[in-house]
Amino acid sequence: MQLSTLDYSFIIVFFSIVLGIGIYVSKKSGKDSSEFFLSGRTMPWWLLGLSMVATTFSTDTPNLVTDIVRTNGVSGNWVWWAFLITGLLTVFVYAKLWRRSNVNTDLEFYEMRYGGKAASFLRKFRAIYLGALFNIITMASVTLAAIKIGGIMLGLEPWETVVGAGLITVTFSALGGFKGVVYTDFLLFFVAMAGAIGAAYYLVNIPEVGGIDALMANEVVKSKLDILPDFSDQNALIMLFIIPLAVQWWSSWYPGAEPGGGGYIAQRMLAAKDENHAIGATFFFNIMHYALRPWPWILVALSSLVVFPDVASIQEAFPNIAESKLGHDLAYSAMLTKLPSGLLGVVLASLIAAYMSTISTQLNWGSSYIVFDFYKQQINPDATEKQMVAIGRISTVVLMVFSAILALALENALQIFDILLTFGAGTGLIFILRWFWWRINAWSEIAAMFASGIISILLKTTALGAMLFNAEDGVFPSWFEYPFVVIVTSAIWLTATFMTQPESKETLRSFYRRIQPGGPGWSKVVNEAEAEGEEIKKDNEKWSVPQGITAMLLGCILIYTIMFSTGYWIYGRTMPALILTGVALVSAFLLIKAWGRMKDNIL
């Protein structure tokens, strides 16, 4: 495939603007660590919301969605659609709590909520565990997708893609810091959306596909269209629908969808002007993330089933692709090779935008852990602001290098998604409850973290795991693996909680005084403090969690119905589309009313 002068022009202009933004803000971003990692906590909700969405575009996401649709149909996306519940719980319950904490990173929370050596260890260990290990794995997955896109669309060798895309991204990330990331995300969002929608519209109408009506009537595609899984297929129903909705959303830690908020989502909440801006940013993100983004990718994935019905057909069309990189996820890139000059340049720029947005966010977020939660805590407690910014820039480069090396060894995005999901199984409930139940302590989190990781490794790599969770040979069907990890991990951390001492009353009272979480889970701490003549609860503070859960449910109905009604409009199924659109309007009205009542509780 040959790029035209027009295509190259789009890409060169795009790169120039992005690098220009990084250079422009570099002086102010390098002033101190707060500017480099949080932009001085002055960001408005709409800019932070767009930044979150741009970050989650990524180059691996369309590949992942394509893999899911081709393998399990549209309904297979429930494995990530279920995380909407987590996202809206963060919006209406946890966003204001994070903003009140005023910490620099979400890991700093550990030494505010817990005390002693266990809290200190937890913060330092997770700085490396998440900021380095998990972060590198996530970035490697994104870079792997870029390698596949570069290989199919441009005929690039893996190392050429890694060096070309990585060098520019790490340069503007190291220069511009968080402000550079957020400012460029504003541009990257619109470029990425234009590319995704433009590609979907064109590819559905190429002669091989024949337009939307022909696509919907295609026998191969028809079996993949259902938004809900086949209820008569027990394995599909449990794996793709019941487990994600009943267990996965609250039980698993996953980057960008942490129960109770965390990671780069928390970083953006902490950078907001105030609590209302933190809430607005996360709600805006969830609407755009779930209701707007999926359908362009789904349409391309469905069209790819017509043009490339199996992996063999992809291999035949692109014989130069290494066998280790072959998979259904390649179908998205394969379809993009059919785009015309001009649109091809826009789409390539959009994919580059998606890559740069995700990687730059992961780099800045990961280096913030290394600087604030490891370097300053463990190595140099007296570090100056200039030293911290310097370490932030160095760690940005190091993280990029290691993730690029790992990307060259990986095979597909779905493989990484499954690993990350299982590794965090059983830990999510702690992240939800630790704000509202005084009895959870640092040992609860340490036990959960190690238990989920060790159990996941054992089940993935040992004969015991193969015996228990192989549907043909074992005792349990394969879909029981994830709930098994959740159940065992939960039992271990609950046991550890009650076998160890609670946090000191000074630590608990200090946390309550600062955050004002409220609720029956803190009544013992509040009552004991009052009995000793210490007031830690503000008189005007009401417990807003019941109202928050109501708003969360209404928000879920609103966003799911928008997303699914959009699908039915595309399918040409007018009646269900009309019904779901009506439900969306009613839920939006009720949510506005509920939010009006909640605002009285925002300080």
Side-chain angles (χ1 to χ4, degrees), residues 181-470:
V181 170
V182 173
Y183 283 4
T184 52
D185 278 348
F186 179 78
L187 168 67
L188 301 180
F189 168 79
F190 290 104
V191 174
M193 279 305 304
I197 294 172
Y201 180 82
Y202 182 87
L203 294 171
V204 165
N205 290 288
I206 61 175
E208 297 98 310
V209 179
I212 191 68
D213 292 335
L215 179 65
M216 295 298 111
N218 187 282
E219 288 301 319
V220 176
V221 172
K222 283 169 70 174
S223 64
K224 304 287 187 179
L225 292 176
D226 290 339
I227 292 174
L228 295 176
D230 182 0
F231 282 31
S232 64
D233 185 340
Q234 182 185 13
N235 274 337
L237 179 64
I238 294 174
M239 280 292 292
L240 304 179
F241 191 69
I242 293 177
I243 288 177
L245 280 178
V247 181
Q248 182 178 295
W249 71 268
W250 58 263
S251 64
S252 184
W253 182 95
Y254 184 78
E258 299 89 343
Y264 60 80
I265 301 297
Q267 184 188 32
R268 279 151 177 75
M269 291 188 285
L270 292 168
K273 289 181 178 181
D274 54 37
E275 293 173 23
N276 280 314
H277 279 268
I279 293 169
T282 47
F283 186 52
F284 183 53
F285 157 65
N286 279 280
I287 292 175
M288 304 293 278
H289 180 64
Y290 293 97
L292 181 66
R293 291 191 326 154
W295 286 106
W297 297 332
I298 290 172
L299 285 172
V300 174
L302 293 172
S303 299
S304 75
L305 288 165
V306 180
V307 182
F308 303 104
D310 51 32
V311 175
S313 61
I314 300 174
Q315 185 177 28
E316 183 179 350
F318 303 94
N320 294 330
I321 298 298
E323 190 171 343
S324 62
K325 305 296 183 186
L326 281 171
H328 284 293
D329 57 337
L330 276 176
Y332 188 83
S333 305
M335 290 297 291
L336 297 183
T337 62
K338 299 183 176 296
L339 295 174
S341 176
L343 180 56
L344 177 60
V346 172
V347 171
L348 273 174
S350 76
L351 292 171
I352 295 167
Y355 171 82
M356 295 177 72
S357 176
T358 302
I359 294 295
S360 62
T361 289
Q362 296 289 144
L363 288 172
N364 187 265
W365 162 61
S367 63
S368 73
Y369 281 2
I370 293 170
V371 171
F372 286 120
D373 303 301
F374 184 76
Y375 173 73
K376 187 170 175 59
Q377 293 295 308
Q378 183 72 25
I379 298 175
N380 187 5
D382 300 319
T384 65
E385 292 294 329
K386 192 172 183 179
Q387 287 174 320
M388 292 169 69
V389 171
I391 294 298
R393 286 173 167 159
I394 292 169
S395 60
T396 295
V397 175
V398 172
L399 289 172
M400 185 73 237
V401 170
F402 278 106
S403 67
I405 294 170
L406 178 60
L408 296 172
L410 296 176
E411 295 179 9
N412 66 71
L414 193 56
Q415 170 189 21
I416 302 301
F417 181 85
D418 289 339
I419 290 172
L420 292 178
L421 205 60
T422 308
F423 246 72
T427 62
L429 192 58
I430 288 182
F431 302 131
I432 291 174
L433 292 180
R434 63 188 183 181
W435 297 86
F436 297 107
W437 185 26
W438 70 275
R439 191 59 182 83
I440 287 178
N441 59 28
W443 291 107
S444 308
E445 296 213 27
I446 292 171
M449 178 176 60
F450 281 102
S452 65
I454 292 170
I455 294 168
S456 298
I457 291 171
L458 289 175
L459 293 182
K460 293 288 185 185
T461 61
T462 65
L464 175 63
M467 181 190 73
L468 287 177
F469 300 109
N470 186 297

Side-chain angles (χ1 to χ4, degrees), residues 13 21 299 441 472 485 537 572:
V13 168
I21 292 172
L299 285 172
N441 59 28
E472 295 179 0
V485 178
K537 182 178 181 180

